[in-house]
Amino acid sequence: MTIKLYGFGESGHSYKVALMMRLAQIDFDLRFVDFFKGEARSPEFAALNPMGECPVFVDGDLTLTQSGVILDHLAKQTGQFGGQSEAEAREVLRWTLWDNHKFSSQIGMTRFLMNFLPEDKRPAEVIAFTQARIKAAYKVLDTQLASHTWVAGGEGPTIADLSCCAYLFYPEPFGFHRADWTNIDRWLSNIEALDGWQHPYDLMPRAFPVQA
Amino acid sequence: MTIKLYGFGESGHSYKVALMMRLAQIDFDLRFVDFFKGEARSPEFAALNPMGECPVFVDGDLTLTQSGVILDHLAKQTGQFGGQSEAEAREVLRWTLWDNHKFSSQIGMTRFLMNFLPEDKRPAEVIAFTQARIKAAYKVLDTQLASHTWVAGGEGPTIADLSCCAYLFYPEPFGFHRADWTNIDRWLSNIEALDGWQHPYDLMPRAFPVQA
């Protein structure tokens, strides 16, 4: 039975998982979630994921949510992208948690406020505040990548790279200028050069703007 | 050699780890970080944790950061609080990631803005915005606890409980009213009843207000 992935183009968290499966050459069937029409808040979706979030990963009887859990599961199943040692696996988890706490979470929200809300509803003070916080996070990531090719510090890419990079490939403005961050820029180019890499909007259909 | 934990009373993330060690009866030596004097931004601290965050856990040659990584390590080392099956371990990781993404991260920031900044520097729009987001998260947690005694759904408490509960024990206002959330309230009482439980300010010295 083919794996089902519930997600949509704009969801960076869905992209993390879709990209992992593309790189690991795992077939999956994308179930489009019409997010901006409120589908993730529907009772049907709540039955699938009470957290009300994409992605949701369904493989037969196994249903998983939270991109970090799905990535960890896929790394264990495929033996790929999980790191080469116990120490590297800990680094993978460390950066995945950091990404969830300080990076993708803040970027996803800021990008939403700046691009997917009507112009007159965009909270300027909140946007300025979160942009300043994300800037501190770019610096942490860029510093790590100044002395390491990959985020978790090993020989090859891991799910920590897939987690941290996802939102940085989107075209909508949220305050990130790739050219400003030399090490992040080189690292993103290395990810784009991986066999099978695809841009989020080539991998999953977009839900915005809302279709009538 | 005794384990060293770098942290301070107000740090909910440090509390998660300190509480775990207290419950598992692991001795540790608390290294107080004078956070509000900027100690976490010092070069010495950056050498310990380039992410500039507490807690930092040092056990001989092993230095770990990110509370979720330290909790995972301690669960594996002690065989406690990690869940009883592979499925429960996945739930533990799922809720730990959710906590980092949607819960402790937002609460920690909101509590900081409302209590540890000078009154004339508190950004009202940001606080209202994050409080609304956290309210949605209380609902997710309360719903989970309506049908499960512990967050990860198993027979006993896990590190997911220790991660999600930490900020809810603090006395400073940030918009949480325990009596409003029946299931969270009962769950917090169950945690307080665990053998060895201590309040964060009894477990670690406070860094606020700043001492001259």
Side-chain angles (χ1 to χ4, degrees), chain A residues 129-158:
Chain A
F129 179 83
T130 56
Q131 282 190 326
R133 281 174 64 87
I134 305 168
K135 197 167 175 185
Y138 296 136
K139 201 171 166 200
V140 167
L141 181 61
D142 199 71
T143 301
Q144 171 73 356
L145 293 169
S147 52
H148 301 91
T149 306
W150 303 104
V151 163
E155 296 287 309
T158 68

Side-chain angles (χ1 to χ4, degrees), chain A residues 16 19-20 23 71 81 158-166 191:
Chain A
K16 295 170 186 182
L19 179 59
M20 165 79 182
L23 296 175
L71 291 172
F81 301 106
T158 68
I159 52 175
D161 297 286
L162 305 186
S163 197
C164 291
C165 76
I191 293 172

Side-chain angles (χ1 to χ4, degrees), chain A residues 13 49-53 62-69 72-73 86 90-91 93-98 100-102 104-106 109 113 122-127 129-130 133 140 143-144, chain B residues 13 49-53 62-69 72-73 86 90-91 93-98 100-102 104-106 109 113 122-127 129-130 133 140 143-144:
Chain A
H13 298 293
N49 181 11
M51 292 171 178
E53 298 171 328
L62 180 67
T63 298
L64 299 176
T65 80
Q66 288 289 331
S67 63
V69 172
D72 178 66
H73 169 73
E86 201 185 326
R90 274 197 298 259
E91 281 296 287
L93 179 59
R94 183 165 84 107
W95 285 96
T96 302
L97 284 162
W98 175 83
N100 275 269
H101 192 151
K102 291 278 171 86
S104 284
S105 49
Q106 300 289 319
M109 189 177 81
L113 299 177
R122 297 177 187 171
E125 189 186 296
V126 176
I127 291 168
F129 179 83
T130 56
R133 281 174 64 87
V140 167
T143 301
Q144 171 73 356
Chain B
H13 297 294
N49 181 11
M51 291 171 179
E53 298 170 328
L62 180 67
T63 298
L64 300 177
T65 80
Q66 289 289 330
S67 62
V69 173
D72 178 66
H73 169 74
E86 200 185 323
R90 275 197 298 260
E91 282 295 288
L93 180 58
R94 183 165 84 107
W95 285 96
T96 302
L97 284 162
W98 176 83
N100 275 270
H101 192 153
K102 292 277 170 86
S104 283
S105 48
Q106 300 290 318
M109 188 178 82
L113 299 177
R122 296 176 187 171
E125 189 185 297
V126 175
I127 291 167
F129 178 83
T130 56
R133 281 174 64 87
V140 167
T143 301
Q144 172 73 357

